[in-house]
Amino acid sequence: MRKLRVLAVAMAVVLLLSTTSAFACTAVYVGKNVSEDGSTIIARSEDQGTGAYNKMFLVVDRVENVPGRTMDDVQGFSYPLPATTYKYTMVPDSSGAGDGPYMGACTNEYGLSISATVSAYARPEVEKVDPYVEGGLREAVLTGIVAATCKTAKEGVEKLASIIEEYGSEEGNVIMLADQKEAWIFEVYSGHLWAAQKMPADKVAVFGNQFMIETVDPADTENFVYQKDLFTTAEANKWTVLVNGKVHLAATFGEPREDYSNMRTWMGHKLLAPATAGEYKTETLYPLFYDPAKKVSALEVMDVLRNRYEGTKYDASLPGNESLRVIGVERQSQIHVIQVKDNYPKEISALQWLAFGNAEHSVFLPNFSGITDTYSAYKVDGEDYNSNGAYWKFKRICTLAEQNRSFYGQGVKDYWNFYEEDLYNDMKTAEAKMIKLYAEDPAKAKKYVTDLHMQISEKACKDADHLYDNLLFFMMDRFGRTAQKLGGPFVPEISLRDAAADKGYTVKWTGNTKPIVLTNGSSSYSFTLGKDTCTVTKGGKSTEVKLSFAPLEKNGTTYIPLDLAMTL
């Protein structure tokens, strides 16, 4: 979550009117015992104060025995790095954004993944006693410091604690760290006060911009660590809030609950454990961790991060709800879902799904953490629109789709959902191959996952360009026409080969004027370029169906309507 220093004066005015920041993020955690595939999942949306905010995806190489280096922030903070630092991936701001690197999410060569941060805010009296430290640790650099210097989640917790002890913190933050053994949540309450909790493997969590750690037994050092004066400072200043005889940290140090953040936390319950959600109440201290109704997949986590309160009276599409702060906000810049898997080699311990733009109308693309380089479109720098950049390729589709979510946007969502499900299934085969290759030769495995990243990214960028052109033409063609002449909503074109392969169909094609036949067992689809009908045969019965548009050929690729592909 972003706190742009260049907006400090404007923000000061806003904060006089409201305790809520203009910027925000939402986080999701799924323990390995309750995830669909046994992976630990940490996920977060990075939301900006503006809708156009370029992000990149890069690999930072390992550095051996080069002393004297530092990790620097724009406000003067400088942290001395050890002579040897570790390789890691990151999702930084463009270099001219002006507020520091903001690595966003990192995975390193020792199997540590970190997502930081969800900004959160302390009670005014807490900040008065232990104010934030100008020039202290910020979200802008903390992910990179931890990824470059730590091998485990617990070591990352200890590193953060030591830095805050020495330098102080300039902001309140919630951080998630995970390795193949365990996961931790780390909360920074004020300039020097902090606490961390081991996240249970059999629970899930979804939360907005608020502190969430609940009741704590100070003697439980296996599951909790905290700043040495945390409890005595609270007691001395009469802040302590007890629940069932134990100190409730969120209530003790955090600002009172408000709709901006708490409604997102409630919606997490509604999505993952609906029987426990109840009616939303602003002041409720919803639990951080809880049992999901069923095991949760990475695909479902992606949908949580797209959510706009659909199916509730707070649905953002309903009149009067336009100002509600939803999870799937339009000013997202990058959204990551990191799966840490026990059966992966430590050096390639995670599968990170990364979306640029708005999760609602973008696509999550998979990247194994052992990659040694990233696709060229992810390296395009700059603050201005550049159609060569991955961020801009996906963000521009979101911008068009969200002009009319039902007429334009639904087709885009369907297209990317189809795409993600295909990739999700492909990764099951890819991970088995990666594990086998790593056992033979780690270098081969790293080359394989890097090549795979390049192939997936290049194809997705090309497909995004086609989808953008397809949607833009659809919108231009209908601009200025009356509702009666608009016809049906946008249905994307999808590659025939992709659709057939995804659904297990073979393609028989003998020329543009002859039928193209897709076959899978006793099922078949027969259609011809330029004709908007299709003969569908299933169970020995043939039916002629009307298509949204006639299949067509562009630049050597045959395209069919997405709604046809979804019926295969």
Side-chain angles (χ1 to χ4, degrees), residues 1-4 7 11 21-26 44-56 91-94 97 99-104 116-117 139 209 260 325 327 329-335 356-358 391 395:
M1 145 49 204
R2 186 68 27 134
K3 300 182 201 63
L4 295 174
L7 295 180
M11 279 299 298
S21 171
F23 317 109
C25 303
T26 305
R44 183 175 60 89
S45 65
E46 184 171 339
D47 309 335
Q48 309 296 347
T50 175
Y53 200 99
N54 187 26
K55 296 290 289 190
M56 300 183 291
V91 193
D93 284 1
S94 56
D99 195 33
Y102 277 89
M103 291 85 166
T117 71
E139 172 188 357
N209 295 89
Y260 184 83
R325 173 51 163 99
I327 297 173
V329 71
E330 291 90 343
R331 48 189 171 79
Q332 292 174 331
S333 59
Q334 64 91 1
I335 313 94
F356 276 0
N358 310 342
Y391 170 82
K395 184 72 174 187

Side-chain angles (χ1 to χ4, degrees), residues 29-297:
Y29 164 75
V30 179
K32 67 177 72 176
N33 294 348
V34 290
S35 68
E36 183 186 59
D37 62 357
S39 61
T40 298
I41 301 175
I42 57 173
R44 183 175 60 89
S45 65
E46 184 171 339
D47 309 335
Q48 309 296 347
T50 175
Y53 200 99
N54 187 26
K55 296 290 289 190
M56 300 183 291
F57 179 41
L58 307 174
V59 173
V60 179
D61 291 329
R62 181 183 178 93
V63 176
E64 292 279 359
N65 197 27
V66 180
R69 293 172 299 125
T70 57
M71 183 81 73
D72 301 323
D73 199 357
V74 295
Q75 94 291 31
F77 175 85
S78 183
Y79 182 78
L81 293 171
T84 296
T85 52
Y86 311 144
K87 169 191 166 290
Y88 60 94
T89 63
M90 65 174 180
V91 193
D93 284 1
S94 56
S95 60
D99 195 33
Y102 277 89
M103 291 85 166
C106 298
T107 62
N108 80 5
E109 63 179 296
Y110 286 98
L112 172 61
S113 294
I114 176 171
S115 175
T117 71
V118 174
S119 294
Y121 309 94
R123 292 163 53 176
E125 54 267 39
V126 173
E127 189 173 349
K128 184 177 180 180
V129 169
D130 183 36
Y132 294 116
V133 178
E134 186 72 21
L137 181 66
R138 293 197 311 144
E139 172 188 357
V141 294
L142 70 83
T143 40
I145 292 171
V146 171
T149 64
C150 299
K151 296 182 178 180
T152 67
K154 186 63 178 295
E155 188 180 342
V157 167
E158 293 165 351
K159 175 69 70 175
L160 290 170
S162 68
I163 296 173
I164 294 170
E165 178 72 24
E166 181 175 354
Y167 298 90
S169 176
E170 189 168 312
E171 57 196 13
N173 283 316
V174 184
I175 301 144
M176 294 190 297
L177 310 95
D179 58 33
Q180 292 174 311
K181 178 183 176 183
E182 59 191 17
W184 286 80
I185 182 171
F186 189 106
E187 296 190 336
V188 184
Y189 301 119
S190 59
H192 302 89
L193 300 176
W194 59 269
Q197 178 181 359
K198 185 188 296 185
M199 297 198 280
D202 60 349
K203 306 291 182 184
V204 297
V206 179
F207 54 93
N209 295 89
Q210 52 194 15
F211 294 120
M212 293 296 300
I213 296 179
E214 299 174 75
T215 53
V216 177
D217 179 356
D220 184 5
T221 55
E222 173 66 24
N223 295 297
F224 296 95
V225 291
Y226 43 85
Q227 198 271 344
K228 60 183 178 60
D229 299 321
L230 184 71
F231 295 97
T232 56
T233 300
E235 191 64 27
N237 289 280
K238 297 181 170 54
W239 302 333
T240 304
V241 176
L242 299 178
V243 175
N244 297 325
K246 295 181 180 179
V247 179
H248 193 292
L249 294 185
T252 295
F253 295 100
E255 66 180 358
R257 294 313 198 213
E258 36 69 45
D259 295 340
Y260 184 83
S261 296
N262 213 30
M263 190 174 287
R264 284 178 278 151
T265 301
W266 166 79
M267 193 64 203
H269 287 259
K270 190 79 172 172
L271 292 168
L272 301 183
T276 70
E279 288 295 317
Y280 172 69
K281 294 182 180 179
T282 302
E283 68 280 2
T284 299
L285 290 166
Y286 292 102
L288 169 56
F289 298 115
Y290 46 95
D291 298 320
K294 61 181 183 62
K295 292 198 171 184
V296 180
S297 72

